[in-house]
Amino acid sequence: MEYHARPVLYFILSLILVFAASLIGGLVPLWGRLTHRGMQVTLSFVAGIMVSVSLFDLLPHAFHMHGHGEGGLEASIIPVLLWVVAGFLGIFLLERFICFHHHDAPSEESDHSHCHETTWVGALVGLCIHGLLAGIAMGGAWGAGESAWLGILLAIMLHKPFDGLALVTLMHSAGQSRARCLLFNLAYALVTPVGAIIGHVGIGGESAMAGASLAFAAGLFLCIA
């Protein structure tokens, strides 16, 4: 009983951590202030972590898991790389057509010019799709081994605060009330945990699909970085 219960508890704990990371990031523009330099240094650190996790952890595990099927490791190269490209293009196209990543420090002199590329509603749609994809990849990789799954969890937790910050900053700059900003920040923080549950239930521990989730997450993280 304990053997089966502990992984479930770890999974639930990971959902709480991802939720909290996103929620805290959204509170920064309402209750605190980040300098431009501080934001850039932190983003650079997070980008380096995400590239490292993608190249040195997720991809090796994805090749290993696909290599268990027919044809071995050699036959897994093309499928794994296609999933990497799918993850990369998925986020690239979202950013290209919705433009939802506004990772910058709020400015006291801001009017609405820095938001001319999108409205906060467009940002919300893009971030929700982005968060849902990340969560599905995280949930699908649950059976892929502790190291690979922890790598995805780390990358998501480090990046989620900036997504929450971006959303609330855009809403606050658009004149939305504090209560509305808090409500949407809370709702957005639930998106990735919901995606993780969907990925976990839908993909489970099936080796090929878990490997595909790892490869998809690697492409997704590379594009974000």
Side-chain angles (χ1 to χ4, degrees), residues 42-117:
T42 305
L43 281 174
S44 299
F45 174 77
V46 172
I49 292 291
M50 297 184 81
V51 170
S52 300
V53 167
S54 298
L55 296 181
F56 302 118
D57 195 4
L58 300 186
L59 278 180
H61 276 88
F63 282 121
H64 176 72
M65 298 196 73
H66 263 278
H68 282 256
E70 295 183 6
L73 181 60
E74 184 176 350
S76 71
I77 294 176
I78 297 301
V80 167
L81 292 181
L82 286 176
W83 278 108
V84 172
V85 171
F88 190 98
L89 285 179
I91 294 300
F92 175 81
L93 293 175
L94 280 176
E95 291 189 343
R96 174 65 180 81
F97 293 107
I98 301 181
C99 190
F100 56 86
H101 270 151
H102 292 263
H103 291 164
D104 204 352
S107 171
E108 293 179 357
E109 300 177 355
S110 171
D111 44 20
H112 292 291
S113 60
H114 72 287
C115 298
H116 70 277
E117 297 181 6

Side-chain angles (χ1 to χ4, degrees), residues 4 6 10 33 39 46 63 87 89 95 100 103 121 123 125 136 140 150 162 173 176 182 197 207:
H4 294 288
R6 289 177 63 185
Y10 293 157
R33 180 175 175 80
M39 175 72 76
V46 172
F63 282 121
L89 285 179
E95 291 189 343
F100 56 86
H103 291 164
V121 176
V125 172
I136 290 173
L150 286 177
F162 297 100
S173 300
Q176 299 297 315
L182 290 172
I197 294 173
S207 179

Side-chain angles (χ1 to χ4, degrees), residues 150-169:
L150 286 177
I152 293 180
L153 176 62
L154 174 64
I156 291 177
M157 281 187 59
L158 288 174
H159 181 254
K160 289 301 290 182
F162 297 100
D163 286 347
L165 185 150
L167 175 62
V168 175
T169 297

Side-chain angles (χ1 to χ4, degrees), residues 116-161:
H116 70 277
E117 297 181 6
T118 185
T119 64
W120 70 266
V121 176
L124 176 63
V125 172
L127 285 169
C128 283
I129 298 174
H130 159 59
L132 192 65
L133 291 176
I136 290 173
M138 172 183 162
W142 173 247
E146 183 176 347
S147 174
W149 185 79
L150 286 177
I152 293 180
L153 176 62
L154 174 64
I156 291 177
M157 281 187 59
L158 288 174
H159 181 254
K160 289 301 290 182

